[in-house]
Amino acid sequence: MTHLRGRMTHLRGARRWRLATGAALLTSLVTAAAFLAPSTSGNLVTVPEAGAQTVMPGTNCSASLAGTSLDRSGWVASTNSNATGADVPANALDGNLATRFSTNQVQVPGLFYEVNMGSPQTFDELDMAVPNSPTDYARSYEVEVSNNGSTWTTVATCTGTGTPEIVSFPAQTAKYVLVYLTGAANYWWSIDEFNLFTSSTGANCYASLSGTALNRNGWVASTNAPSSTSDAPANALDGNLTTRFSTDETQRPNVYFQVDMGPPQSFSELDMEVPNSPTDYARAYQVEVSNDGSNWATVATCVGTGTPQVVSFPMETARYVRVTLTGTSDKYWWSIDEFNLYTSAPPPPTTTTTTTTVPPTTTTTTLPTTTTTPPHHVRPCAGRVRFGCCFGPGPRPMRALGCCFGPGLHPVRFGCCFGPGPRPGRLGRARGRFNKDVVCLSRRPVRTAEHRQKDGEHRQKDGEHRQKDGEHRQKDGEHRPFTLRQDHGDRGHGGERRHSGDHKH
């Protein structure tokens, strides 16, 4: 097996030598052709691009950024291309998108870009960004890793379609990383920034907002940047997007923005917003936490691509949070309109207990009243209703002279009766001898014990009236016979007078 590995290494080296020799020859031919032929739009010659490559198992050549970027301190980059002083390989590791590595020649098989990280690192994603030269992306390439710089393992074989080129693959632990062109194109190959990412820490530099924002009352912000009064750190905590914190100088490593929350708090996500200065996002940075302001733990190392910058990581409990720049920008300041921390932890137990306990208490005290009271009052049309109608529970418009409505009701005569929360009746008031004091618009049951007592008194008075009526009728009866007798007497006397007159005749 050792012999075979050595043989494979020899063959790979031989292939690279042949490809490099071919590349040099092709470059010479391209240069000669360019010298002999007129220039066309800056492209020296059209070279057919390589076809689609076979993708290795577990590889995604069109991935999205995730995880946390590795710290590039001490990394050394190299190439076998014609890169000059302005486009040297180190430019792709400086955190500055305004500088770049470039081959300074058209793409041909065999050109490579290599990084020595100094010690083995674990990673599962590679990002080659070239936003300022968008046509200079690698057309077809391999990603290889090694621990000794001699024996290489291919982890991805891809065909480029544009910038950025983000490739994910199974996690690797290696000291060297190499990107190796396998196809040709009539454009140079350039890289503004070269980064490796790992998801082993659980951090995600390109997360989406979730959870609940922490209360920022009492937080104190500070910085080591020469920010002015109008761009003070406190502006990033005031809840006003029209104010901001800003460094008031271009971005450089070791400039930080720090927050002291007072008592330790738990959080798992950080959000830095700068919508009103969208070019002032942090180009490269790390997020650190501490409980004493002296001993710091890094929870995420990131490369910025725009605003907002949302970073998630495993739950932390700390008093201090600090964001420190690790990259540079020769053109732009670093600004933060609003700085927030979020937690995905469940609400405190006290809040949960209060929320779940109150409804049962309310239900328990309310339901007995609702279910116990109606049997004493709600009888579908208890008693009689004269000249009207009787409706079941639930108010409905009155259509006749009398009605029985809803819970807690009694029949009324020549009127209407509504339960709690009544609706207007058409008659306005109940009418009739015994119910003249029943008003339809009452918001409580209208037939009360007091009303029933008054009804009893009325009935008693009615009885007395009927008794007096009986006495009156009795007296009338006695009076009527006397009148008849008097009339008969008159008639008898007249008769006598008539008889007497007849007697005289």
Side-chain angles (χ1 to χ4, degrees), residues 196-360:
L196 295 172
F197 292 78
T198 179
S199 58
S200 60
T201 62
N204 182 359
C205 295
Y206 309 96
S208 298
L209 282 178
S210 61
T212 304
L214 299 186
N215 188 329
R216 299 182 296 181
N217 289 340
W219 289 15
V220 178
S222 58
T223 184
N224 62 346
S227 58
S228 62
T229 302
S230 60
D231 290 331
N235 291 347
L237 304 177
D238 64 0
N240 185 356
L241 285 172
T242 62
T243 63
R244 69 174 186 176
F245 152 72
S246 188
T247 57
D248 289 357
E249 66 176 3
T250 56
Q251 297 182 35
R252 56 182 173 83
N254 299 319
V255 172
Y256 65 79
F257 176 86
Q258 179 176 311
V259 170
D260 177 0
M261 295 179 284
Q265 302 210 36
S266 296
F267 51 93
S268 58
E269 197 169 66
L270 177 150
D271 175 31
M272 295 184 291
E273 303 266 355
V274 59
N276 296 313
S277 305
T279 59
D280 286 5
Y281 62 90
R283 294 315 194 263
Y285 60 97
Q286 61 184 17
V287 181
E288 301 172 282
V289 297
S290 173
N291 276 310
D292 57 10
S294 299
N295 300 301
W296 296 87
T298 301
V299 297
T301 302
C302 300
V303 174
T305 58
T307 182
Q309 293 179 298
V310 182
V311 186
S312 65
F313 36 80
M315 185 70 69
E316 297 287 342
T317 299
R319 174 179 175 177
Y320 299 89
V321 178
R322 186 168 67 187
V323 179
T324 304
L325 295 183
T326 58
T328 61
S329 173
D330 295 335
K331 293 178 60 178
Y332 299 106
W333 296 359
W334 177 31
S335 303
I336 305 173
D337 290 352
E338 285 299 309
F339 180 99
N340 278 284
L341 294 173
Y342 290 76
T343 179
S344 58
T350 52
T351 303
T352 302
T353 302
T354 301
T355 302
T356 57
T357 302
V358 170

Side-chain angles (χ1 to χ4, degrees), residues 13-82:
R15 185 188 70 169
R16 285 195 180 143
W17 180 82
R18 287 195 298 271
L19 288 173
T21 304
L25 179 59
L26 182 57
T27 301
S28 300
L29 292 174
V30 170
T31 304
F35 179 77
L36 295 173
S39 174
T40 57
S41 302
N43 298 328
L44 298 179
V45 67
T46 301
V47 180
E49 297 184 9
Q53 304 294 313
T54 303
V55 178
M56 304 300 289
T59 298
N60 181 0
C61 293
S62 302
S64 299
L65 284 179
T68 182
S69 57
L70 300 187
D71 185 350
R72 298 181 296 181
S73 300
W75 288 14
V76 178
S78 59
T79 184
N80 62 346
S81 70
N82 296 327

